[in-house]
Amino acid sequence: MVLKDIKILHLVNGFDIGGVSQVILELCEATGHELGKVMVASSGGIYEKQLEDMGIEHVKIPDLTERNPIKLAWMCKILKKTMTENGINFIHCHHRMGVLIAKLLLPAEHIIYHNHLVYYDKRMGSRLILPGVNIIAVGEGARNNVTDYFGIKDKGQIQVIRNAVREFDGKQMPVPEILEARKKDKMVVACIARLFPIKGINYFVDAADILVRKGLNICFLIAGDGPLYSELTQYVEQKGLSEHVRFIGFRSDVQSVLSQCDMMVLPSLAEGLPLTPMEAFSVHKPVIATNIDGTKEVVKDHYNGLLAEKKNAEDLARKIELLYADPKLLAKLSENAYESYNREFSFSRFKTEFLHYYEQL
């Protein structure tokens, strides 16, 4: 199929903080000028402005997860009208419920499901709605999740296309907490994530507690926002770590922040193919991460970072201390991190693979 004949509607629940929204933004940037039409339908969020700046039309729809039949009918009416007026012939779904909606509007072969995470819920429902559609998995772990857990047989319709991040533009916005730490000759260790239980931020705080008690001269930085913000800030205060663990809130300039740090820690309990390690690699920073599916496809132990046991603050602390005490190892992992970015996670690779994928449809 000729690329200009493809008119795609990206269907997602919300368009707020999170890796899925970032991937959709990158897809819009990569394909917006190559395809006949690219649109996004969601319940909205802070990234709508970025779509507008790219010239990508956003269509407001109800929350995909609601079970209200009236809202479902209303959503289908909005989507049908949008598709008719814009000649949409493919729906790219970023939510399993979106696939069910899409099947009411288009044949299965014109539907793409993008598996961004490794899921262990809604097994029976997924087994019913996923057969017949085209499936993109962000990594081998996400692919195996579709075939092994959801039981979808791969008849050539499942393809792995890894996430990517844009190249850093070199513009640094100074972070006061980092400037303060550097004046005291502190190493800066960052954890950048949504403040959700699945991100395991409490283990990062516990690791910081261990290392502060050992007298290591480190500033621990937490960038992100979410429902656990108050709980985590109180936890840090209770441990007497407020001078050592600093919260800087949500940052849209993740690469800028990471470029000013020494390393990144990702203590997640589950991931699909996380973007923040790629962002760290793009600015020559190694990553200490939990040894889980998805993450270990990005972070290679003792090559571009270190892997630690899940839910194990002591192991996280050991790995941070290892790089704190060995500047040569830190420098080597940093060099390999940037090499990994150029080889595996660059935006140019991502764009080429997706355009080829759409062309083959």
Side-chain angles (χ1 to χ4, degrees):
M1 180 175 280
V2 178
L3 286 174
K4 287 296 182 182
D5 290 339
I6 297 175
K7 297 182 179 181
I8 284 200
L9 174 69
H10 289 281
L11 183 57
V12 65
N13 188 28
F15 209 54
D16 235 318
I17 298 169
V20 174
S21 296
Q22 291 182 53
V23 171
I24 295 172
L25 284 172
E26 289 173 354
L27 275 168
C28 290
E29 182 178 337
T31 66
H33 297 293
E34 307 290 341
L35 305 184
K37 187 80 176 180
V38 176
M39 302 179 71
V40 176
S42 83
S43 58
I46 64 169
Y47 289 128
E48 287 182 62
K49 179 63 169 60
Q50 291 192 39
L51 285 177
E52 182 182 338
D53 292 343
M54 283 192 279
I56 302 294
E57 186 177 345
H58 176 265
V59 180
K60 199 75 170 283
I61 58 171
D63 190 324
L64 281 173
T65 61
E66 290 194 26
R67 301 293 191 270
N68 188 319
I70 295 175
K71 288 192 175 182
L72 176 61
W74 179 34
M75 184 190 308
C76 288
K77 184 177 181 180
I78 294 170
L79 293 174
K80 185 68 176 177
K81 182 174 184 290
T82 298
M83 292 168 63
T84 301
E85 291 177 351
N86 294 277
I88 298 296
N89 50 16
F90 283 92
I91 299 180
H92 191 146
C93 303
H94 301 269
H95 189 288
R96 283 171 290 173
M97 187 62 182
V99 178
L100 179 59
I101 303 298
K103 280 192 167 183
L104 299 174
L105 302 167
L106 282 177
E109 61 268 23
H110 284 255
I111 298 168
I112 302 162
Y113 169 60
H114 205 138
N115 196 39
H116 292 276
L117 297 171
V118 176
Y119 296 99
Y120 292 105
D121 66 344
K122 302 173 184 171
R123 190 176 193 177
M124 292 308 298
S126 300
R127 285 184 172 185
L128 290 173
I129 65 174
L130 293 181
V133 305
N134 303 289
I135 298 175
I136 296 171
V138 296
E140 292 300 330
R143 181 192 178 282
N144 294 340
N145 182 231
V146 170
T147 57
D148 299 347
Y149 185 74
F150 295 129
I152 307 301
K153 293 182 180 179
D154 187 358
K155 299 178 180 179
Q157 86 283 18
I158 303 176
Q159 186 164 331
V160 173
I161 303 180
R162 290 185 166 189
N163 293 335
V165 296
R166 300 173 187 84
E167 188 172 352
F168 180 44
D169 60 13
K171 297 177 182 177
Q172 284 189 339
M173 290 293 291
V175 180
E177 291 83 357
I178 297 178
L179 293 176
E180 180 186 331
R182 295 305 188 193
K183 289 178 181 178
K184 300 175 182 178
D185 294 323
K186 288 188 174 186
M187 172 178 274
V188 180
V189 178
C191 178
I192 299 180
R194 291 177 298 154
L195 305 187
F196 280 66
I198 201 169
K199 294 299 182 178
I201 311 296
N202 56 305
Y203 296 101
F204 178 69
V205 174
D206 289 341
D209 187 34
I210 292 169
L211 296 174
V212 167
R213 291 178 185 277
K214 293 184 73 171
L216 274 64
N217 195 29
I218 301 176
C219 170
F220 297 90
L221 206 67
I222 297 176
D225 201 356
L228 293 184
Y229 180 81
S230 295
E231 182 180 319
L232 286 167
T233 52
Q234 290 174 13
Y235 188 53
V236 166
E237 289 174 7
Q238 289 167 4
K239 285 182 169 289
L241 294 171
S242 298
E243 291 185 12
H244 306 279
V245 179
R246 311 296 299 273
F247 291 82
I248 63 171
F250 168 73
R251 301 288 299 221
S252 59
D253 58 337
V254 171
Q255 288 167 304
S256 170
V257 173
L258 286 169
S259 70
Q260 300 169 62
C261 301
D262 295 290
M263 69 182 84
M264 193 193 90
V265 174
L266 185 66
S268 302
L269 311 184
E271 289 284 356
L273 199 78
L275 293 174
T276 46
M278 301 175 198
E279 290 174 308
F281 292 170
S282 74
V283 292
H284 303 257
K285 306 301 175 183
V287 177
I288 296 173
T290 41
N291 189 9
I292 57 174
D293 287 342
T295 298
K296 64 185 180 183
E297 292 182 48
V298 181
V299 181
K300 305 298 182 183
D301 197 34
H302 281 83
Y303 178 71
N304 52 23
L306 300 173
L307 292 174
E309 292 180 11
K310 182 172 70 172
K311 297 183 179 181
N312 190 329
E314 291 81 7
D315 198 29
L316 272 180
R318 279 193 292 271
K319 300 302 166 59
I320 295 170
E321 185 174 8
L322 177 61
L323 297 189
Y324 176 88
D326 192 342
K328 288 185 178 179
L329 177 59
L330 177 62
K332 183 62 178 176
L333 297 183
S334 300
E335 179 185 335
N336 292 342
Y338 187 62
E339 190 275 333
S340 295
Y341 167 74
N342 282 326
R343 186 182 69 249
E344 300 180 62
F345 308 115
S346 69
F347 186 72
S348 59
R349 186 274 309 163
F350 176 85
K351 177 177 180 177
T352 298
E353 289 190 14
F354 263 101
L355 289 176
H356 179 69
Y357 178 81
Y358 286 144
E359 194 171 35
Q360 296 307 305
L361 290 175

